Amino acid sequence: MASCWWRWRRGCSWRPAARSPGPGSLGRAGLSGLRAAAAAASRAQMSYFNLVKSLTSAFPNMYSISRFHHVTPAVCCCSRTRSGEKYTDPFNLGWRDLKGLYEDIRKELFISTTELKDMCEYYFDGKGKAFRPIIVVLMARACNIHHNNSRNVQASQRAIALIAEMIHTASLVHDDVIDDASSRRGKHTVNKIWGEKKAVLAGDLILSAASIALARIGNTTVVSILTQVIEDLVRGEFLQLGSKENENERFAHYLEKTFKKTASLIANSCKALIDDVLDFTSCSDRMGKPTSADLKLGLATGPVLFACQQFPEMNAMIMRRFSSPGDVDRARQYVLQSDGVQQTTYLAQRYCREAVREISKLRPSPERDALIQLSEIVLTRDK
């Protein structure tokens, strides 16, 4: 296992920064990260199967999950289509089944009180990426094609896409309260406009509307799976609020948090890792929210944990959650001087390859290829 981790590091084409550990000296955090990465990869794989289970059990007469193991060569993260059919942009392909997405969500949020209605509908303005719903409908089509060569997306499968977006948005409203955030998607947050107490209630209402829509599907397996997602979101937020004093446990803590807060819902843990990279490499205007935000919140993300191996003086800053004057700026400089950003990017690429390997078990189709392309998009995005 250790040799596997070293092969991953050795195969990277970057130059080690000053004070970088040499061959064979991964450091305690690196070895811990290896074990945590293996565990998280297993959980992410399970999340993929859970998503497939929810999609296939959302309508009757489907076979067991084992039918989804179609033997095709594993592929790497690349944009080349393998279905033999004309390839289109994955977002355009997904939106075919998501026309009227936000209108339908607003119908689920039928509220008579004007202020509460405005708060709950605030982020359903069509300006988000709708990344999660697109993944759901693409996976639904890919699974349907794999099973019986049918491209039709069932109404209950589309409903899961709406519910996923509602759960995600509710978590954003609550996250902004916890983080005391003032901007998201290039505009003021709900809590900034209406206050924290009302924002919490708005997030609760969105979540309750999603739960009602989920119950209406009428499938206990689907209800159980998506309820687990909600539990994971809460547990992930609690993990983010804490930090580990033991350096060996930090990577495990970080990856566990990443899985519960993001991968559990979208079955793709590399996206959250890339978010952590962009916190150091992108500008506020492109991100639509302040950069270095994680440091200001006292959070030690992947780039920080990797940088800490090269700059041990960061340990004290991590434990005091970057609360002393100058901590945020010094930590940022340490990260930029280290290979932390590169290492986190390579870790995200590793999860990307795992995701592609699992997706490639489905029968070739434009939708399957679009899912593979999406894994590349989240790795190369700049906002």
Side-chain angles (χ1 to χ4, degrees), residues 175-207:
D175 278 357
D176 288 342
V177 172
I178 293 170
D179 298 342
D180 193 26
S182 59
S183 65
R184 180 178 291 279
R185 296 177 180 171
K187 61 181 184 179
H188 290 311
T189 56
V190 174
N191 52 290
K192 180 73 172 178
I193 298 173
W194 287 282
E196 291 185 355
K197 292 180 179 179
K198 290 181 178 179
V200 170
L201 294 175
D204 289 346
L205 197 147
I206 295 170
L207 199 55

Side-chain angles (χ1 to χ4, degrees), residues 46 55 79 102 211 219 285 345:
M46 284 304 299
L55 289 167
S79 58
Y102 294 107
S211 299
N219 186 297
D285 291 340
T345 301

